[in-house]
Amino acid sequence: MLRLPTSYTETIWTSHDGLPLYSRVYEGPESSADTVLCLHGLTRNSRDFEDLAPHLQSRYRVIVPDVRGRGRSARDPNPQNYQPAIYLQDILGLMDSLGVARASVIGTSMGGLLAMMMGVGHRARVAAMVLNDMGPEVDPNGLDRIKGYAGRLPPPKNWEDAIAQTHSMFGNAWPNLSADRWATLTRRAYRENENGVLAVDADPMIGEVLRAAPAAAPNLWPFWKALNGIPTLAIRGVQSDILSAATFAKMKAENSELKQLEVAQRGHAPLLDEPECVAAIDAFLERV
């Protein structure tokens, strides 16, 4: 991917229940540029799009929020609010605050779930969707893996220790990365507090809420059928333990217009800096 100068503004908006929430806004080449909304995964944050957002910025206005409890958005004093319906309400509030009536949504993992929810409940606001390693059915093996570490990682002793933690979680999903790349990805996921203590940049209670949820994932296939007609690109890591090959095939069988891409040497989830991902997203959004 061509590295472009990064230019974004930071904005804080207030949720319906008074929580200050953070977003990056990468302004497009002109005020009339279409909007792309990028949504991160469960314990991730807006920094996951530090490669893709500047690339898209040459053609689109790109909005990248930190979902409540992550990154520079406030931690919620009521952890029961860490649920997709609340997140979606926050995102719609962000769009309203920025005057965005409609956007193409790129969602990784949980962000893909939110994109689908938006498409079902607020169809007029979704121009198109890119679902990164997320579909209407979640493999229980991958869900159990995420439940095992979310909110449970001990504070790393230093940045080298944090890199080792990141590698232990994602080494199988992201093989063959350089040492520099592992360091960059780690710095996107951890933050150092005022006392110099490192921790994952997400509220640990997010993991507790996830583990307290019903063991069986909800059946989202009715959602999927309701999304027919919305231009959609689905991306899957070939080694994904969240989006199975069988589910990926069924998605296409139930939506013949679906565009698909499988990414070699990637599990859950592709980083979206892979050349094939960038090319597919560019071509898809251009058609939209």
Side-chain angles (χ1 to χ4, degrees):
M1 178 185 294
L2 176 64
R3 304 295 176 184
L4 299 173
T6 300
S7 174
Y8 61 85
T9 57
E10 297 177 302
T11 182
I12 300 291
W13 87 101
T14 303
S15 69
H16 67 281
D17 53 352
L19 209 64
L21 303 176
Y22 170 92
S23 180
R24 293 181 175 186
V25 180
Y26 297 75
E27 294 296 350
E30 52 193 29
S31 60
S32 61
D34 291 340
T35 298
V36 175
L37 174 68
C38 297
L39 303 176
H40 60 74
L42 181 74
T43 60
R44 307 295 297 183
N45 61 70
S46 59
R47 300 194 296 277
D48 274 357
F49 293 96
E50 285 181 335
D51 294 314
L52 184 62
H55 171 79
L56 296 175
Q57 185 181 18
S58 64
R59 287 154 292 158
Y60 310 100
R61 185 189 195 197
V62 186
I63 300 171
V64 194
D66 285 339
V67 174
R68 68 168 62 201
R70 289 86 164 168
R72 298 192 179 277
S73 286
R75 279 37 178 168
D76 198 312
N78 178 10
Q80 295 309 310
N81 286 331
Y82 291 139
Q83 55 175 293
I86 299 292
Y87 303 152
L88 181 56
Q89 193 171 358
D90 291 342
I91 291 161
L92 293 170
L94 169 64
M95 292 175 69
D96 289 343
S97 74
L98 295 173
V100 177
R102 194 163 182 254
S104 295
V105 187
I106 300 175
T108 293
S109 192
M110 180 191 77
L113 171 62
L114 296 175
M116 290 190 289
M117 290 174 64
M118 190 185 302
V120 171
H122 304 271
R123 189 182 185 96
R125 308 204 71 165
V126 180
M129 298 185 301
V130 178
L131 306 178
N132 183 22
D133 220 62
M134 176 53 64
E137 189 173 326
V138 174
D139 190 315
N141 293 321
L143 186 59
D144 287 344
R145 174 181 59 81
I146 293 170
K147 287 179 178 179
Y149 73 75
R152 286 180 168 172
L153 295 173
K157 302 177 184 68
N158 49 42
W159 280 109
E160 287 186 2
D161 193 21
I163 292 169
Q165 278 190 358
T166 304
H167 198 280
S168 71
M169 288 185 290
F170 299 108
N172 292 333
W174 304 331
N176 303 326
L177 297 184
S178 68
D180 285 347
R181 189 64 175 152
W182 277 113
T184 296
L185 295 174
T186 300
R187 288 186 177 274
R188 290 176 180 171
Y190 289 74
R191 189 140 54 100
E192 200 170 25
N193 69 14
E194 62 275 9
N195 298 317
V197 177
L198 280 171
V200 174
D201 202 4
D203 190 338
M205 291 305 299
I206 293 166
E208 297 303 318
V209 173
L210 178 67
R211 283 182 284 274
N219 175 19
L220 300 180
W221 285 108
F223 264 35
W224 185 246
K225 291 179 181 178
L227 292 168
N228 277 352
I230 298 177
T232 304
L233 167 65
I235 297 173
R236 175 181 180 265
V238 168
Q239 297 153 219
S240 176
D241 61 356
I242 288 290
L243 180 57
S244 71
T247 298
F248 200 57
K250 186 177 178 181
M251 290 166 68
K252 179 67 171 180
E254 296 204 0
N255 180 359
S256 62
E257 299 300 314
L258 177 69
K259 306 299 181 184
Q260 291 185 304
L261 171 68
E262 288 196 284
V263 187
Q265 294 192 321
R266 288 291 181 266
H268 183 76
L271 296 166
L272 301 185
D273 68 342
E274 300 86 358
E276 60 267 50
C277 286
V278 176
I281 291 170
D282 282 349
F284 173 73
L285 292 178
E286 182 65 29
R287 285 194 297 272
V288 172

